[in-house]
Every structure is written in structure tokens, then in C-alpha cells.
Amino acid sequence: MKHTALIATLLCALAGPAPAAVPSGPNAVAWLSAEADADIERAFAQAREQRKPVLLYWGAVWCPPCNHLKSTLFNRQDFIERSKSVVPVYLDGDAPGAQKLASRFKVRGYPTMILMDPQGQELTRLPGEIDAPQVLRVLQLGLSGGRPVSAVLADARAGKSLKPAEWQLLAFYSWDTDEDRLVPEAERPGLLAQLAAACPKAERDSAERLLLRALAASNEQHGLRADAATRQRVQALMGQPARARALMDVLVNYPAELAAAAAPTAGADRDALVAAYDRALQALQADATLSRADRLSALIARIDLQRLGQPKDSKAPTLPAALKQQMRDTAALFDRDVKDGNERQTVITAAAHGLARAGLWADSDALLKANLAKSHSPYYLMSQLASNARQQGRTAEAVDWSGQAFERASGGATRLQWGAAYVSTLVDLAPQDSARIEAAAAAMLKEAAGQNAAFHERSARSLQRMSSKLATWNADGSHAAVIGRLRGQLGPVCQALPAADAQRATCDALLKG
């Protein structure tokens, strides 16, 4: 195929900079790396000895939001100084025992930041999507408050009086990485709406943040359906630059959700809200105090607002020509100006996504290909190229890029995640190629056999996705021989696990139809 030579040429050039787990050196946060329970116990022993809380950061080398933290927060001198007040622990999702530790701390999505007392009780989870100065303020709230957010929430639900700092702690809690620890996800919109209504008038900023989070978490099945007063309230804060700036993270990350929840029906009311929303986003897009990634997110949010009411899967959305040109120009500008490798991983992947959302597929593909040799995790960009090709109907190219992404992926959990994506792509786009599907699945099982925590958490979910996809592929029994051979390969892997190990049951359940 014509694109195969291009892929090979690009892969020959992939000698980009080595990925950095977290910033290191004499002028950096003194992270303690954790790979097993013993490392965690040592960290908490140090915390008790020094009478300091523990700040646990759960991330991955390739993850764009993690790279955003590295390039905007972890390298700041004020954060480095503040980190001396805690015992900072880095848990890399690809470390040998990381996925087992993920169960212990109930962490799943990258990144997750948890502040804990020296005895291991959670104080709060810090949101990674707010800008760096706000993260520092939230960290200080957790350090100075003393009470875990679970206790604060219990008092709020009981109607008890809270301190202003406690309302802020609830408003800035990382609800997206809660993992049902404080409240089941389905109940979150209602809870957030109740908290917003219970906020004292003096805590307007916290009330507005909670209200927007409630709207963002709502959908047609459950959550908050705004009345006229709520819509007008949301629209009013859009027109106040300082308040919109304080709520930047919610506004840029949930444009479609907020607009649809605040103005459920298309018409004049929604049009007025969207117009006010777009003006607020334009101001954020031009705000030089924000990072490039946040300004880019504001531009992408404007594109998503324009797509409201259009088919969600539209490949050529109707957008103002000026907005599409801004997306092109911003992507080119940031591609030229970004020097830091961590920032590049965040900005380029977001820009490529924005170009695709604008229907500028050729621009998105060109940007990704031009950055393969510059990225410390090129397999992430290859996955985006596979997605672009798939959405444009170039199935053979999508399969090839997905395969190259799996081949280039590094790290235990990451290789299983990318391998599961490759098997799924093959089954969806090349179901007749049983030899290639079997080879990919066999490579996944070989990966799992070589890891000591392949059947925990994220890694287990990757293997379960592959198993489910193969079961669908073999629904009529026509590929029973392939499944039988894969079961034969998996059997010894499962048998080698101790019967008391929770991984054994997970392994045994795979490839069973």
C-alpha cells in the first residue's frame, strides 16, 4: 500500500528525546518513586516521622494532561517550594506493581493527585485541569484544613455550617477522578446541584463552580435540567471576564455539555447563551496568563459550541471560515514556538484533535506526522493518526497506524492498552484477516505473561476489552480454532498465578465467550 513506505520512513526517524517521568534534578520536586507496597510504606513512614502529609501523583509518560502538569505546575518554583511541606510520591502507571497499587488507592484515570495524612487517610483529590496557581491554592486548602473532604461533605449534606475554605475544598475537589469514592457517578450531578444551592451567598465563587460542574455532569438520562433563572445566571457570569477566568477549566472542557444543559432546547435562548459563551471563550483564548494548552482548549471549545445541533459524527461540520483559519493558525504558531517536550506532547495532540473537530483532516494528519520524530511518546500520535484515518474511511491505513502504535508503545500497562486498541481495530476494520488478528492477540498474551501485574486494574481492563472483542468476532463460532489456540496460550499463564491471587480469577475468565 502507498502509505506503508511513508510509515516505514517515519519510523526510521523516530529517535526523539527520551520520555521524562517527572521533572528531576537539584531544582525540582523531590519525588519518591513507588512501584510496590513496600515503597508506599516507606513513604508513609517518612511522612509520620516528618509530620507531613503525602501527595500522591498517579500518571503516565505519554498522557497529555500529565505532560501539562509537568510543563506548567511541577516545574514552578512556588510549587517546588510548597512540595517541601509534603512527602511527594510518584506512581507511574507502567511501573511493575503500579496497577496493583491502583486498587489500593482507587486511582484509574491519568493524572490523579491525592493529598493524604501521614496515616493514609485521604484529605482531598486535587484537580489537574485547573491552572497552576489554582492548584497551589487548592493544595494549600488541603494542607491547612485538617479535615478530610469526606467529613466536610458529610457535614454539608447534613445541613451543618461550613467554613469558607471548606466550601472551596468541595468546589475544587477533583470529582472527575473520585472513582465513586464519595458519591456514585450517576448521583454526582444532583449532589453538586444541592451543594451549589446550599452555598452561602458570601461563597458565590464556590456556588458557581459547583453549579457549572453539576450542569457539565448532567445529560439527557440524569442530572440537572436548568430553568430560565439558572440559564440567565450562567449567561451572566459568561459576561464577567474575572469570573469566567476563575472558571476557565470548566468552561473550556465542557462546552457542549454546559450549553445543552443550561439551554436544553435549540432556539433564541440557546443562541444567546452560546453567543455569550463564545465571547467568554474568545477572551480566554487571548489571555496570555494562561498556558498555550489552555488557550488552545478555549479555541477548541468554540469549535465544539459551533457544532451544537449538527450531527455528532459529522466529518465536515459547518463552521465560520474565520474560526477554521484561527484553528489552522494557532496550531501552526504553537507547533513553531513550543520547545519543551512535555508541553509539545500536550499542545500537539490537542491541536491535532482541534483540527479534526474543525473538519481540517489533512491539517491534522500533517501536524501529527511532522511531530512523530519530535514526540517522546510517538505511539500516542500514531493512535490519533489511526483514529483520523478510521473516521475518514481509510480503513487499511487506520489498521496500519494502529499496529505501528502498538509496536512502538512502551511500558507494561501502556503496551496492553495499545495492544487492545489494535486488536479492536483489526476486528472492526479487517475481520476477515484472522491470521493478523490471532497474531495481535497472541502478542498481547505474551506481553501479559511477561508482567507481574497484568491482570490488575487498567491492564486487566485492556485484556478484558480484547477478550470481549474476540468473543463478538467469534459469535457464530467461525473462528473457534483461533480462540482455542489463544486459550491454549493463556492457560499456562493463568495456572502460574497463585490461586489466592486476585489476578487468577481475572485471567481464568478471559477468552471464555
Side-chain angles (χ1 to χ4, degrees):
M1 300 172 202
K2 294 181 180 179
H3 55 272
T4 304
L6 170 63
I7 293 171
T9 302
L10 288 167
L11 286 173
C12 290
L14 294 180
V22 285
S24 60
N27 188 32
V29 176
W31 295 102
L32 301 179
S33 180
E35 297 186 0
D37 286 312
D39 300 319
I40 294 294
E41 298 312 323
R42 280 193 291 272
F44 277 104
Q46 179 178 326
R48 289 189 293 271
E49 180 182 348
Q50 298 176 354
R51 297 183 180 180
K52 293 179 179 179
V54 170
L55 177 63
L56 177 72
Y57 163 57
W58 163 256
V61 168
W62 52 264
C63 151
C66 303
N67 281 274
H68 183 60
L69 287 175
K70 296 173 199 172
S71 63
T72 63
L73 177 65
F74 296 162
N75 60 354
R76 285 174 61 107
Q77 192 57 43
D78 49 1
F79 181 80
I80 294 168
E81 288 300 316
R82 186 66 55 82
S83 73
K84 295 175 182 177
S85 302
V86 302
V87 175
V89 177
Y90 173 51
L91 182 55
D92 186 327
D94 281 313
Q99 295 303 322
K100 181 178 179 182
L101 287 172
S103 298
R104 173 175 174 176
F105 293 107
K106 293 199 73 171
V107 292
R108 179 172 290 193
Y110 304 135
T112 299
M113 293 185 288
I114 308 176
L115 186 66
M116 293 173 279
D117 70 17
Q119 285 69 46
Q121 183 179 32
E122 278 200 26
L123 297 175
T124 192
R125 296 195 174 203
L126 282 65
E129 66 274 11
I130 59 179
D131 68 338
Q134 285 180 314
V135 176
L136 283 163
R137 287 195 291 274
V138 177
L139 177 57
Q140 185 56 42
L141 285 172
L143 290 171
S144 60
R147 288 214 300 159
V149 70
S150 56
V152 175
L153 177 61
D155 282 354
R157 299 179 91 166
K160 296 181 180 179
S161 177
L162 300 184
K163 299 175 183 177
E166 291 176 329
W167 281 114
Q168 294 169 37
L169 196 66
L170 289 174
F172 278 100
Y173 179 71
S174 182
W175 297 99
D176 289 340
T177 61
D178 177 59
E179 302 303 340
D180 293 346
R181 206 184 65 83
L182 295 184
V183 61
E185 183 178 359
E187 298 175 16
R188 191 184 306 158
L191 171 63
L192 292 171
Q194 291 170 15
L195 292 174
C199 259
K201 290 184 179 180
E203 302 306 319
R204 184 187 66 178
D205 292 347
S206 294
E208 289 176 345
R209 175 169 286 276
L210 288 164
L211 174 62
L212 290 189
R213 292 308 306 259
L215 290 169
S218 301
N219 57 40
E220 294 178 358
Q221 282 71 45
H222 63 267
L224 184 64
R225 306 298 285 175
D227 55 17
T230 301
R231 185 188 69 253
Q232 291 164 6
R233 181 181 177 186
V234 171
Q235 188 169 325
L237 72 85
M238 302 284 190
Q240 301 179 50
R243 294 164 74 185
R245 173 64 175 80
L247 295 161
M248 175 276 302
D249 54 299
V250 190
L251 296 181
V252 304
N253 284 312
Y254 306 100
E257 295 88 344
L258 281 173
T265 306
D269 289 338
R270 177 182 284 185
D271 292 344
L273 175 69
V274 167
Y277 202 157
D278 186 70
R279 288 190 294 271
L281 291 170
Q282 287 186 58
L284 294 172
Q285 182 186 334
D287 190 339
T289 68
L290 290 172
S291 68
R292 290 186 183 92
D294 287 333
R295 301 198 315 265
L296 182 57
S297 294
L299 174 55
I300 297 171
R302 294 181 60 207
I303 292 170
D304 285 343
L305 278 184
Q306 291 296 321
R307 290 177 62 113
L308 271 178
Q310 300 183 43
K312 291 184 178 181
D313 59 351
S314 174
K315 308 300 183 295
T318 301
L319 301 175
L323 184 59
K324 294 173 72 170
Q325 191 59 46
Q326 280 189 49
M327 188 63 244
R328 282 196 183 97
D329 293 345
T330 302
L333 174 66
F334 288 176
D335 183 30
R336 184 181 70 242
D337 290 351
V338 171
K339 307 302 180 187
D340 177 77
N342 292 324
E343 184 182 13
R344 179 166 291 277
Q345 184 72 3
T346 308
V347 168
I348 295 304
T349 54
H353 169 70
L355 288 166
R357 291 293 291 166
L360 302 171
W361 297 99
D363 299 81
S364 179
D365 288 345
L367 180 66
L368 291 167
K369 291 173 184 177
N371 274 275
L372 284 172
K374 301 175 185 177
S375 171
H376 59 54
S377 304
Y379 48 88
Y380 191 95
L381 280 64
M382 292 174 178
S383 294
Q384 287 186 280
L385 283 163
S387 177
N388 281 3
R390 181 170 183 165
Q391 291 183 72
Q392 295 171 80
R394 303 197 307 269
T395 57
E397 187 176 343
V399 168
D400 277 356
W401 276 121
S402 185
Q404 297 292 352
F406 177 37
E407 181 181 324
R408 292 287 300 184
S410 61
T414 294
R415 284 197 55 74
L416 292 176
Q417 181 176 341
W418 260 251
Y422 180 40
V423 172
S424 293
T425 300
L426 281 168
V427 170
D428 289 343
L429 303 184
Q432 75 288 347
D433 196 344
S434 60
R436 202 171 180 183
I437 291 171
E438 182 176 358
M444 278 278 284
L445 298 180
K446 184 178 179 181
E447 288 285 341
Q451 299 179 27
N452 63 10
F455 304 95
H456 279 299
E457 288 294 329
R458 195 182 196 96
S459 295
R461 291 191 294 274
S462 295
L463 290 164
Q464 288 162 346
R465 282 196 299 274
M466 180 191 75
S467 178
S468 177
K469 182 62 71 170
L470 290 174
T472 301
W473 179 60
N474 187 46
D476 61 358
S478 59
H479 304 291
V482 172
I483 301 301
R485 288 191 292 270
L486 292 172
R487 283 177 182 161
Q489 180 183 349
L490 179 64
V493 179
C494 299
Q495 292 165 16
L497 295 167
D501 190 333
Q503 294 188 95
R504 177 67 178 267
T506 301
C507 184
D508 285 338
L510 297 173
L511 301 175
K512 291 283 180 67

